[in-house]
């Protein structure tokens, strides 16, 4: 799969956010902040999938 630099930058940004949220959840395990961070990480992962799919279908360099 060939992708452009924009795709790579989008993916890296989302992965950075997901990692931050998961690390926060691990540091505060068992608390409501942990549960909230875990839910946000899942939501960000879904948003990443949508954004990358949208980019891939519209980008002339990727598709």
């Amino acid at each position: 799969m060939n992708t452009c630099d924009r795709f790579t930058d989008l993916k890296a940004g989302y992965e950075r956010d997901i990692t931050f949220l998961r690390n926060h959840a691990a540091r505060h395990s068992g608390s409501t902040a942990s549960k909230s961070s875990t839910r946000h990480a899942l939501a960000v992962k879904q948003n990443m999938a949508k954004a990358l799919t949208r980019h891939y279908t519209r980008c002339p360099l990727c598709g």
Side-chain angles (χ1 to χ4, degrees), residues 9-28:
D9 291 342
L10 274 171
K11 186 175 179 181
Y14 276 109
E15 288 176 343
R16 192 174 330 124
D17 292 343
I18 292 168
T19 301
F20 174 79
L21 289 166
R22 286 185 178 166
N23 288 341
H24 182 269
R27 278 193 308 271
H28 301 283

Side-chain angles (χ1 to χ4, degrees), residues 2-53:
N2 289 338
T3 57
C4 66
D5 292 335
R6 176 77 175 132
F7 183 91
T8 307
D9 291 342
L10 274 171
K11 186 175 179 181
Y14 276 109
E15 288 176 343
R16 192 174 330 124
D17 292 343
I18 292 168
T19 301
F20 174 79
L21 289 166
R22 286 185 178 166
N23 288 341
H24 182 269
R27 278 193 308 271
H28 301 283
S29 63
S31 68
T32 56
S34 172
K35 294 174 187 174
S36 178
S37 288
T38 302
R39 280 192 301 264
H40 285 306
L42 290 173
V44 170
K45 192 172 182 180
Q46 289 175 341
N47 290 342
M48 176 182 74
K50 289 177 187 176
L52 293 179
T53 300

